[in-house]
Amino acid sequence: MSRTVRDQILSRLAGIRDPERGRDVVASGRILGLTVDEAGIARIMVETTPDRASATEPLRREIEQAAAGVAGVTRAAAVLTAERAPERGPARGPGQAPRGGAGHSHNHGHGHSHAPAAGQRPSVPVVPGVTAIIAVASGKGGVGKSTLAVNLALALQARGLKTGILDADVYGPSIPRMLGLQGRPDSPDGKRITPKIGWGLKAMSIGLMVEEDTPLIWRGPMVQGALDQFLRETDWAPLDVLVLDMPPGTGDVQLSIAQRVPLAGAVIVSTPQDIALLDARKGLAMFRKVEVPILGLVENMSWFTCPHCGGRSDIFGHGGARDEALKLGLPFLGAVPLDLDVRIMSDEGRPVVAVAPESEAAAPYHAIAAGVIESLGRMRREPPRIIIED
Ligand code: ADP
């Protein structure tokens, strides 16, 4: 992927006026996704509404031609994407997407104009051959979201499910390191991507495509474009579950992913302190806005097990997530202690559930996987709830 070509396309597009919205097409939020692959093929997602699709067609062509004229672009394909009108009244306040949130929202000043209105789920195609995509999300970074995503995926695999993991945490892709993966994924036909296999999991991450130290500056639409590509152009099938490691936080980028990826449900991970600070609650609100069922809450770094004496200390006041889950009527999927082995092993590419599946440290992940499967089964049986927000 070439960032410079993409930047040039974006600045070219910024010169095209959006006749409906009275600003340029970038500022008006028309461009929902933009990726340029190695062969110089630019793919652009242009937003429209179902009733305006034919009226937007000339603009789509103009965008496509402008992109095709940029040096380094061999072919440009712009597609119109329309969001489905909400089936019931939008479950939200006056058209607001959740803002910023705790943690980082990397929208660099453009985020709000790109955020699709909350309460709507676009008619996203399911990923062929993948039965369920589940997101692992957190209110902020550093709470152990990726560690949970990896070990949960491995625990699901241990229960006989064909499992994959997609690193959507494009700002800090840590899945390759945690699974011990290196090198670019293959693409035998130059179009489809063959996922890497780490400890039996099919895995894909932007971290496999760029050098680890390359600074990545992403704007919302680019994240979506790259993710769309990873979701739909990777040979995932057949999979029972694809675990999506979300970017940390509850800003517009995360909201947009929650809206556009056909998620079967979301697992929210938090530390005891952050539950107290309500970070995870923002995550809950975000998924509820887009009607993605919450499979449950996980409390990470819940207590500390001393590696020397095996004694247990509740350094952060363990139990907050369980209480919070109860209050919110959500399943509590389990608590994971702060465990030195978990940290050392995941940072070495030897996740505990793969390397020591029978260990005490792996046990919470197996219990969480069982809870996730149970929650997924319940979701299938229960009709979606109508959510009324205040
Ligand atoms: P996030 O994805 O939320 O940013 P990570 O999964 O990358 O968080 O975890 C941050 C750091 O904390 C990593 O070094 C990881 O090994 C460590 N970590 C995560 N969970 C645990 C745990 N239960 N015990 C010990 N260390 C943990």
Side-chain angles (χ1 to χ4, degrees):
M1 270 190 240
S2 162
R3 213 177 67 222
T4 43
V5 174
R6 205 161 42 190
D7 283 346
Q8 282 165 31
I9 297 174
L10 269 181
S11 57
R12 186 75 68 91
L13 298 186
I16 299 178
R17 211 180 99 82
D18 187 331
E20 270 178 52
R21 301 180 185 179
R23 303 163 70 185
D24 73 75
V25 293
V26 178
S28 72
R30 271 293 176 194
I31 310 301
L32 288 179
L34 168 56
T35 56
V36 183
D37 71 12
E38 294 219 304
I41 300 173
R43 294 184 174 82
I44 306 160
M45 282 165 67
V46 180
E47 188 187 39
T48 186
T49 50
D51 55 321
R52 303 280 311 156
S54 49
T56 318
E57 176 55 23
L59 188 62
R60 184 200 68 77
R61 267 201 307 269
E62 199 179 341
I63 288 170
E64 196 171 76
Q65 277 162 15
V70 170
V73 174
T74 52
R75 189 162 67 80
V79 291
L80 291 175
T81 62
E83 304 208 334
R84 193 177 58 198
E87 278 154 25
R88 5 177 214 267
R92 62 190 154 104
Q96 296 296 305
R99 305 256 143 124
H104 19 302
S105 172
H106 299 248
N107 292 310
H108 304 289
H110 290 277
H112 299 151
S113 58
H114 294 305
Q120 299 178 349
R121 266 179 84 65
S123 48
V124 275
V126 289
V127 182
V130 177
T131 309
I133 305 178
I134 59 173
V136 176
S138 63
K140 61 173 217 173
V143 300
K145 173 183 51 57
S146 301
T147 308
L148 175 71
V150 163
N151 284 294
L152 170 62
L154 289 163
L156 290 166
Q157 177 173 256
R159 302 179 85 80
L161 300 177
K162 289 193 197 71
T163 310
I165 185 160
L166 172 56
D167 192 354
D169 189 351
V170 291
Y171 307 113
S174 48
I175 299 300
R177 178 174 43 84
M178 288 186 178
L179 287 176
L181 295 173
Q182 278 168 348
R184 298 175 67 89
D186 286 336
S187 177
D189 64 355
K191 293 191 198 100
R192 308 280 310 164
I193 305 167
T194 308
K196 288 268 182 189
I197 309 282
W199 301 97
L201 300 174
K202 287 183 183 164
M204 187 58 205
S205 167
I206 188 73
L208 296 168
M209 314 294 265
V210 293
E211 294 299 318
E212 197 167 342
D213 299 333
T214 310
L216 293 174
I217 299 163
W218 294 87
R219 301 222 334 252
M222 295 178 177
V223 175
Q224 199 57 55
L227 276 184
D228 281 341
Q229 211 175 337
F230 289 167
L231 260 181
R232 305 191 206 290
E233 294 176 17
T234 302
D235 284 327
W236 295 113
L239 276 190
D240 297 309
V241 188
L242 179 62
V243 175
L244 191 77
D245 184 17
M246 291 278 283
T250 51
D252 295 337
V253 166
Q254 293 80 0
L255 177 69
S256 159
I257 294 173
Q259 271 180 315
R260 295 195 162 270
V261 177
L263 293 172
V267 173
I268 313 255
V269 54
S270 180
T271 60
Q273 314 97 296
D274 297 323
I275 273 287
L277 295 172
L278 300 186
D279 277 334
R281 279 196 155 188
K282 289 191 183 133
L284 299 180
M286 178 178 83
F287 286 111
R288 284 189 158 166
K289 273 203 162 94
V290 292
E291 298 178 18
V292 171
I294 309 287
L295 301 171
L297 281 184
V298 170
E299 187 173 88
N300 190 36
M301 309 191 189
S302 202
W303 68 87
F304 176 65
T305 308
C306 173
H308 308 296
C309 70
R312 170 179 166 152
S313 333
D314 288 352
I315 39 182
F316 299 132
H318 145 74
R322 180 187 293 274
D323 295 346
E324 191 68 19
L326 260 180
K327 241 187 280 168
L328 298 166
L330 292 171
F332 179 65
L333 293 169
V336 181
L338 187 61
D339 185 311
L340 190 60
D341 286 341
V342 168
R343 196 199 62 68
I344 293 172
M345 289 163 100
S346 66
D347 291 349
E348 282 177 351
R350 299 165 60 240
V352 70
V353 173
V355 175
E358 308 292 328
S359 65
E360 209 177 305
Y365 296 112
H366 289 296
I368 292 165
V372 164
I373 292 171
E374 202 187 305
S375 277
L376 274 174
R378 212 174 23 240
M379 301 301 159
R380 274 191 212 114
R381 286 193 301 277
E382 282 174 13
R385 282 178 301 161
I386 295 171
I387 293 154
I388 297 159
E389 294 194 6
D390 43 39

